[in-house]
Amino acid sequence: AVCRALGKLSPEARRMLEALSKDDSLTAEELAQALDLPAATVLAGLFELEAAGLAQAEDGRYAIPRR
């Protein structure tokens, strides 16, 4: 299921997932700065990741859910 979800992600969302995999958690602003992406693009990518179950938000920070 994770592989199927990865195939449907935008290139930007994949970059965000990679960045999240290297950090405990990041804010949308931190992701935008780290990846040099507009805030709207980051928010859309985070929405994609959350919908696919690949990221979760807590207190304004995003992380890969622990399984």
Side-chain angles (χ1 to χ4, degrees), residues 34-65:
L35 301 174
D36 195 29
L37 291 172
T41 302
V42 169
L43 292 173
L46 288 169
F47 180 79
E48 276 185 74
L49 293 173
E50 284 187 287
L54 299 172
Q56 65 185 22
E58 187 172 321
D59 297 328
R61 300 189 70 80
Y62 293 83
I64 295 174

Side-chain angles (χ1 to χ4, degrees), residues 17-55:
L17 185 61
E18 185 177 328
L20 288 170
S21 73
K22 296 175 183 175
D23 230 303
D24 280 342
S25 67
L26 294 166
T27 65
E29 184 178 342
E30 290 167 338
L31 277 167
Q33 290 174 354
L35 301 174
D36 195 29
L37 291 172
T41 302
V42 169
L43 292 173
L46 288 169
F47 180 79
E48 276 185 74
L49 293 173
E50 284 187 287
L54 299 172

